[in-house]
Amino acid sequence: MAALPDPVLEPAFEVRVHVDPALRVGGRSPHESLHVVPITGGTVDGPRLRGEVLPGGEDWYVDRDGAIALDARYVLRADDGALIAITNRGFWRASPEVTARLDAGEPVSETEYYYRTSPVFTTESPAHR
């Protein structure tokens, strides 16, 4: 069987989201904590898509002893007026020391933590499917 070539990736766009402070809701046990981060707007810019992030979305994250499950949902309005819903789920895991360095704004190698998300896009617009 022939080896597959390495994929070639090119950036399509970058989303910059504006948020309000996180709301700590609590958890079902002392080892769990739910936080909700209101999304208040933002921008979308890149070679394949330009537009804005609409206010009203939320980024929910559940911290279970340092393993964080992420679930963000928000809507983009493309420059052509099309609406695109984003559901972005994933996971984050880092040691308390690495988290403290990130919180302090220090540079941290991506090899020092685990962070993966998987976005799903939904739209009626044929141009953006």
Side-chain angles (χ1 to χ4, degrees), residues 26 30 71 82 105 120:
D71 184 358
V120 175

Side-chain angles (χ1 to χ4, degrees), residues 24-35 61-64:
R24 186 179 188 285
V25 177
R28 295 174 288 187
S29 79
H31 304 284
E32 177 182 275
S33 181
L34 167 64
H35 297 79
Y61 66 94
V62 178
D63 185 343
R64 293 181 182 96

Side-chain angles (χ1 to χ4, degrees), residues 2-129:
L4 295 174
D6 289 337
V8 177
L9 304 176
E10 296 178 17
F13 57 88
E14 178 179 81
V15 178
R16 291 187 176 257
V17 178
H18 304 290
V19 298
D20 276 346
L23 306 169
R24 186 179 188 285
V25 177
R28 295 174 288 187
S29 79
H31 304 284
E32 177 182 275
S33 181
L34 167 64
H35 297 79
V36 177
V37 180
I39 295 173
T40 61
T43 59
V44 182
D45 189 34
R48 303 275 313 259
L49 182 65
R50 294 186 193 290
E52 65 178 322
V53 177
L54 299 180
E58 294 177 326
D59 186 353
W60 290 43
Y61 66 94
V62 178
D63 185 343
R64 293 181 182 96
D65 281 338
I68 298 173
L70 309 164
D71 184 358
R73 294 166 188 251
Y74 52 98
V75 176
L76 310 178
R77 184 188 329 266
D79 279 353
D80 64 3
L83 297 176
I84 304 168
I86 308 291
T87 301
N88 200 12
R89 294 186 176 141
F91 297 93
W92 159 270
R93 179 82 169 139
S95 70
E97 296 79 18
V98 168
T99 300
R101 289 173 42 216
L102 285 165
D103 289 346
E106 296 177 20
V108 175
S109 168
E110 63 189 31
T111 62
E112 295 185 65
Y113 58 88
Y114 181 87
Y115 180 64
R116 300 292 185 269
T117 62
S118 178
V120 175
F121 303 84
T122 305
T123 185
E124 290 184 331
S125 169
H128 298 290
R129 285 194 184 149

